[in-house]
Amino acid sequence: MTTIMKFGGTSVADVAALKNVAAIVGSFRQSRPVVVVSAMSGVTDSLVTSTIIASQGQVAEAIKSLESTFARHKSTAKEGLSPELAEAFAVEVDQAANTIAGLLKLSAEYPSLRQELYDAIVSWGEMLSSKLLALILFEAGVNSQQVDARDCIVTDDNYTCALPLMPDTFVRTRAKVLPVLDQGAIPVLGGFIGATSDGRTTTLGRGGSDYSAAIIGAALRVDEIQIWTDVTGVLTADPRVVPEAHTVERLSYAEAAELAYFGAKVLHPKTIQPAIEDSIPVRICNSRAADESGTVVCAQTITSPRTIKAIAHKSGVTTVQVTSARMLGAYGFLRALFEVFDRHRTVVDVVTTSEVSVSLSLDDASSLPSIISELETLGTVRIDQGQAIICVVGEGLKEMSGIAAKIFNAISDIPVSLISQGASSINFTFAVAEEQVHEAVGRLHHEFFREQAVSAA
Ligand code: ADP
Ligand code: ASP
Ligand code: MG
């Protein structure tokens, strides 16, 4: 029996938070936990900023911008550890600072290596937090050992968004982590990071520590993957937009994957994939309210017809419409269209088609100018930037009648486009202008969850 316990950045933000994590991990000692940890909150952002400053040729400023980050690690260690351990950790922080300074210099000098160097630099957030948490656990009397996640997660060399490679990752993770567990110690690994098979550091994309936790969980075939964060589970909507949003007790893998994909930041979109194969439950818990049970994501869910579970949204989306009479009755048109996005390695999120037009949405519009000029050879192209996708999710949507009407009644004065019911029939997705998305989500939440909010009060 083993459990993964992943703690996000806010859960390890300072000494109080770290000690709280040590107490939570200690209380789970019986379930042989393996701990995965993010960088202290804000640290990845600071490291990313330093790479941007360096790429503008300002190496000294880039190095200087990280001074407070290193000082924060040292002062946290000083507050939370014995003087000897704090001193040993401070030496490691200084070594990290020197290494990072060298990497920032290289990044200014060699623009072609920037992505590789970005990964080598930002990975230090998790390397330091995992070391620090292992020491804090040790100090709290919990036998623990840092394990370098780069020796476990083997990836391709798609820097900044690397893809883990199986079965190598599983084999190496077992080889590195199981002996530590067998010695009775709790392994502590940094999330988000990995390495190519020839040992070059990579990262899995922002927010990727959840994904690391799930990969390590699948490798070890654990009983449960716990994602500890700053809210009690997956809520009915983003609490920053809908303060009255409440915890959803249970979600199916498919429901959670849709919510994560369409903007529920609480889970990295890829987290669910590794859990599905061995049906490992994923539990989202609150490190500030450890006794609340949070949300369990598993194969089965509780479904009532025509009810929904949650509403996700994602801003900063671009919609593209291609209109062409050539589409009518012609084959090969859609292939030609999607090949354009393929060539530019651009992910398409939502797609709808009519007889003579195709509409779709993109998250990443960085290749848009070249994409547009290629699409113009296929038809008339219309681009709308500043859009947002809203995704209403629930297995109960399979019995649709009445739901679409309820949705569009609630936001009848807000123009919508790109309406689609996902292939799995558990999501209903559409686009609105970005400036209206908060209003729309608020109204939909009120429409669908009003009764639950009243009965919970
Ligand atoms: P961590 O640092 O622990 O990984 P994140 O900031 O990545 O935490 O994710 C947690 C945050 O996700 C919450 O504080 C909340 O603001 C945001 N969030 C967005 N949508 C949802 C949702 N549907 N349920 C819960 N949290 C959500
Ligand atoms: N520290 C990384 C980030 O901020 C990964 C994570 O926290 O999941 O993106
Ligand atoms: Mg996160």
Side-chain angles (χ1 to χ4, degrees):
M1 176 167 124
T2 305
T3 303
I4 299 290
M5 302 182 78
K6 178 262 168 177
F7 294 90
T10 45
S11 303
V12 293
D14 51 28
V15 174
L18 282 157
K19 287 193 169 164
N20 178 45
V21 167
I24 296 173
V25 172
S27 71
F28 274 88
R29 226 182 297 205
Q30 301 315 322
S31 48
R32 299 210 322 159
V34 174
V35 173
V36 177
V37 65
S38 291
M40 294 171 86
S41 62
V43 167
T44 308
D45 286 341
S46 303
L47 291 162
V48 170
T49 305
S50 77
T51 67
I52 296 169
I53 303 174
S55 69
Q56 292 157 351
Q58 298 169 292
V59 177
E61 285 80 353
I63 295 172
K64 199 166 168 37
S65 74
L66 292 174
E67 277 173 8
S68 58
T69 301
F70 297 126
R72 176 177 164 205
H73 281 86
K74 287 188 197 173
S75 65
T76 309
K78 209 167 167 188
E79 257 185 272
L81 299 173
S82 67
E84 299 73 43
L85 285 182
E87 186 46 42
F89 183 69
V91 170
E92 292 202 31
V93 174
D94 287 338
Q95 283 166 352
N98 278 334
T99 306
I100 292 170
L103 295 168
L104 287 168
K105 267 186 215 133
L106 284 176
S107 159
E109 280 166 31
Y110 301 101
S112 62
L113 293 181
R114 250 169 221 165
Q115 291 208 314
E116 181 171 349
L117 291 165
Y118 168 104
D119 279 1
I121 293 165
V122 300
S123 62
W124 279 100
E126 271 70 10
M127 310 255 274
L128 291 175
S129 66
S130 53
K131 182 75 204 182
L132 182 56
L133 179 57
L135 292 172
I136 294 270
L137 281 164
F138 180 79
E139 194 80 50
V142 180
N143 185 6
S144 62
Q145 193 178 312
Q146 185 200 29
V147 173
D148 192 336
R150 298 172 306 171
D151 296 335
C152 300
I153 298 190
V154 189
T155 72
D156 64 9
D157 62 357
N158 192 9
Y159 296 106
T160 76
C161 202
L163 209 65
L165 301 176
M166 312 304 175
D168 289 10
T169 293
F170 283 4
V171 173
R172 287 205 203 179
T173 301
R174 285 187 207 124
K176 287 280 164 189
V177 175
L178 290 176
V180 179
L181 281 172
D182 291 342
Q183 284 159 28
I186 295 179
V188 182
L189 295 91
F192 177 55
I193 63 178
T196 58
S197 50
D198 55 352
R200 284 170 295 152
T201 302
T202 54
T203 63
L204 309 183
R206 292 303 307 268
S209 294
D210 300 335
Y211 188 28
S212 300
I215 294 165
I216 296 163
L220 303 173
R221 298 224 170 105
V222 297
D223 303 289
E224 186 165 272
I225 297 162
Q226 297 175 352
I227 306 291
W228 291 81
T229 183
D230 58 357
V231 286
T232 304
V234 177
L235 307 182
T236 45
D238 185 340
R240 291 166 298 185
V241 174
V242 183
E244 62 274 24
H246 57 267
T247 303
V248 185
E249 266 176 50
R250 231 176 133 100
L251 288 169
S252 67
Y253 289 129
E255 288 170 331
E258 296 285 358
L259 288 167
Y261 190 70
F262 287 107
K265 191 188 167 219
V266 63
L267 272 186
H268 184 274
K270 292 183 184 165
T271 314
I272 297 303
Q273 274 170 24
I276 291 180
E277 197 150 313
D278 286 315
S279 298
I280 305 171
V282 178
R283 184 184 292 276
I284 298 99
C285 323
N286 189 348
S287 60
R288 295 165 177 167
D291 48 351
E292 293 181 3
S293 54
T295 301
V296 181
V297 183
C298 51
Q300 311 83 25
T301 182
I302 306 161
T303 312
S304 338
R306 292 188 292 281
T307 58
I308 69 158
K309 293 283 178 56
I311 305 161
H313 73 278
K314 167 156 94 170
S315 299
V317 169
T318 300
T319 59
V320 179
Q321 189 180 50
V322 183
T323 309
S324 168
R326 269 178 55 198
M327 239 184 109
L328 262 179
Y331 58 82
F333 181 86
L334 286 176
R335 194 193 59 213
L337 184 117
F338 285 109
E339 274 173 0
V340 174
F341 295 96
D342 212 32
R343 271 196 294 281
H344 293 282
R345 303 180 86 179
T346 296
V347 178
V348 172
D349 283 343
V350 184
V351 184
T352 60
T353 60
S354 76
E355 257 170 38
V356 289
S357 76
V358 180
S359 301
L360 38 87
S361 75
L362 312 175
D363 235 1
D364 168 14
S366 54
S367 306
L368 203 55
S370 346
I371 290 176
I372 294 173
S373 59
E374 288 189 37
L375 289 178
E376 277 170 342
T377 63
L378 297 172
T380 313
V381 181
R382 181 188 153 149
I383 303 292
D384 287 295
Q385 283 175 314
Q387 301 294 298
I389 299 284
I390 296 179
C391 182
V392 175
V393 173
E395 299 272 357
L397 273 170
K398 282 178 182 153
E399 289 176 50
M400 263 294 276
S401 63
I403 293 208
K406 213 170 165 185
I407 291 173
F408 293 129
N409 263 336
I411 54 167
S412 58
D413 55 333
I414 298 178
V416 303
S417 61
L418 215 67
I419 300 163
S420 123
Q421 190 189 1
S424 56
S425 308
I426 64 155
N427 72 341
F428 191 81
T429 305
F430 52 92
V432 301
E434 211 167 46
E435 53 281 6
Q436 288 181 300
V437 68
H438 289 185
E439 173 68 22
V441 170
R443 280 204 229 158
L444 290 171
H445 192 271
H446 184 74
E447 183 64 35
F448 284 101
F449 297 105
R450 176 177 40 190
E451 286 131 40
Q452 290 175 34
V454 171
S455 60

